[in-house]
Amino acid sequence: MKTPHQSARALGVLAVAALALSACGTTQGGGEAPEATEKTEIGAGEGQLSVLAWPGYVEDGSNDPDVDWVTPFEEETGCQVSFKPFGTSDEAVTLMRTGQYDVVSASGDASLRLIAGGDVEPVNTDLLTNYPDVYPFLKDKAWNTVDGQNYGMPHGWGANLLMYRTDKVDPAPTSWSAVFDDAADYSGKVTAYDSPIYIADAALYLMKHQPDLGITNPYALDETQLAAAVDLLKKQREHVGEYWSDVVKEVQSFTSGSTVVGTTWQVGANIAQAGGAAVETVLPEEGATGWSDTWMVGAESPNKNCAYLWLDYIASPEANAAVAEYFGESPANPKACDLTKDKNHCETFHSGDEAYAEQIWYWTTPVEQCVDGRTDVKCTDYSAWTKAWTEIKG
């Protein structure tokens, strides 16, 4: 059975080719990946940089005076940063297609769509002084590299974990069955991530518990496999109290006790525990979905020098340590581990632990060309998953 990291880069090429066919005329060449062009040098900064990112990735001290890695960048480069946060990868793709942003932090369920649409451009990693230090298992992956061409700087990564109230859930769960087959035990107090990509969580569970379905990659589902995942999620829906996309609101739900078990990010557990909530997280025995984010450069950006300066800066040990600790994830640069305020941070987030990372199926855009290598069937694409998610939620 393939592990999450054994998907060949060629699968990324197939994915981009498939997505390019539906990219609203932004690509040419009968489904070929967008033509690769890249910078050969970094000149002086243009004086400004428009950043599109997950909340918590671009802090300038306005939320917390002690949390500021933007100001040092501005002072060092002269590039004044404007920041637009997004709540989901779908929102990120929609906003990036306006051409208004210079750089974006893209998870794997967004990056291939952006590449196929010609919304981001290849990145010359030879110009990024911190790129050689990035963990090797984050480089040259299907979600950030197409046909040998890199499209960005790997950033943080982490797993979508199972969180539970230790005073409400007994015994402590070790399997995703707590939110699927056993969800009735906590009916009305189960939570799940509010996105079509959550279908992959159900597929991962089925991959382990219903092997007769033949699922070998949770992002490669034919119509029968998708139907099985949808059926499981519809059954789960009967017991879900609320879906979440805002981790802070999810934490509030766990803290109040209106939610007692469900998927989360480690940062959610950290916030909840800091507030006194009796919660713990576990990487279930089936493994988990997760994210590996990549900083990418907008194809229409007029500020390419500032964009490259940002990509290099954000992966520097100092900045990467600050972001990883504040957001709650593993840094991409191992040198950041010596600079976190919490000296146990990298241990908590399994930084550099490739065996742990191998248990994570990183968000990847589902496309018709099955990314598990099958050629005798068509897989369901993201639009089909989006339609199915609407059905699931009712």
Side-chain angles (χ1 to χ4, degrees), residues 70-79 309 313 316:
V70 170
T71 299
F73 170 77
E74 293 175 330
E75 293 174 345
E76 177 184 326
T77 65
C79 303
L309 291 170
Y313 170 80
S316 66

Side-chain angles (χ1 to χ4, degrees), residues 312-323:
D312 202 25
Y313 170 80
I314 206 65
S316 66
E318 296 81 5
N320 204 208
V323 179

Side-chain angles (χ1 to χ4, degrees), residues 108-368:
D109 56 333
S111 56
L112 290 182
R113 284 185 279 169
L114 293 172
I115 293 170
D119 305 300
V120 293
E121 67 179 28
V123 168
N124 184 354
T125 57
D126 290 340
L127 301 179
L128 305 176
T129 59
N130 290 297
Y131 187 79
D133 294 328
V134 170
Y135 288 119
F137 62 84
L138 298 179
K139 298 177 180 178
D140 303 321
K141 299 304 175 184
W143 59 85
N144 60 27
T145 303
V146 175
D147 199 19
Q149 176 65 63
N150 295 113
Y151 277 83
M153 172 68 89
H155 191 224
W157 63 276
N160 297 317
L161 300 169
L162 179 63
M163 184 158 72
Y164 62 97
R165 281 282 297 253
T166 58
D167 56 343
K168 304 290 185 181
V169 178
D170 184 37
T174 60
S175 165
W176 287 112
S177 63
V179 297
F180 290 122
D181 288 339
D182 300 329
D185 293 345
Y186 312 103
S187 189
K189 295 189 175 183
V190 175
T191 192
Y193 187 56
D194 191 2
S195 170
I197 204 66
Y198 183 67
I199 291 172
D201 291 57
L204 175 60
Y205 183 73
L206 292 172
M207 184 168 71
K208 303 295 184 179
H209 294 273
Q210 293 188 30
D212 55 305
L213 287 170
I215 300 173
T216 60
N217 183 315
Y219 304 102
L221 306 180
D222 59 34
E223 289 186 358
T224 299
Q225 294 165 339
L226 177 63
V230 169
D231 183 58
L232 179 62
L233 289 166
K234 284 182 176 179
K235 292 177 181 177
Q236 181 197 55
R237 177 71 182 91
E238 299 173 10
H239 307 293
V240 171
E242 58 183 302
Y243 292 92
W244 70 274
S245 59
D246 183 328
V247 71
V248 174
K249 291 181 180 178
E250 186 213 21
V251 167
Q252 293 170 347
S253 184
F254 267 94
T255 301
S256 69
S258 59
T259 294
V260 300
V261 66
T263 185
T264 194
W265 301 328
Q266 184 62 47
V267 64
N270 292 352
I271 296 171
Q273 290 169 343
V279 300
E280 291 290 345
T281 60
V282 62
L283 180 70
E285 59 194 28
E286 297 91 355
T289 60
W291 76 93
S292 176
D293 289 346
T294 303
W295 281 101
M296 312 181 88
V297 178
E300 297 182 31
S301 166
N303 304 305
K304 299 291 174 61
N305 292 330
C306 281
Y308 266 72
L309 291 170
W310 175 263
L311 262 61
D312 202 25
Y313 170 80
I314 206 65
S316 66
E318 296 81 5
N320 204 208
V323 179
E325 194 163 22
Y326 183 76
F327 186 81
E329 63 185 1
S330 171
N333 187 338
K335 292 182 177 179
C337 292
D338 293 329
L339 301 177
T340 56
K341 294 178 181 178
D342 176 5
K343 297 309 175 185
N344 294 319
H345 177 85
C346 284
E347 180 180 354
T348 298
F349 288 88
H350 302 272
S351 305
D353 185 346
E354 191 165 359
Y356 181 88
E358 287 286 355
Q359 300 176 65
I360 303 172
W361 292 86
Y362 297 103
W363 282 343
T364 303
T365 305
V367 293
E368 283 190 358

Side-chain angles (χ1 to χ4, degrees), residues 59-69 322 326 341:
E59 293 295 316
D60 61 2
S62 57
N63 290 323
D64 183 337
D66 295 326
V67 180
D68 181 1
W69 52 85
Y326 183 76
K341 294 178 181 178

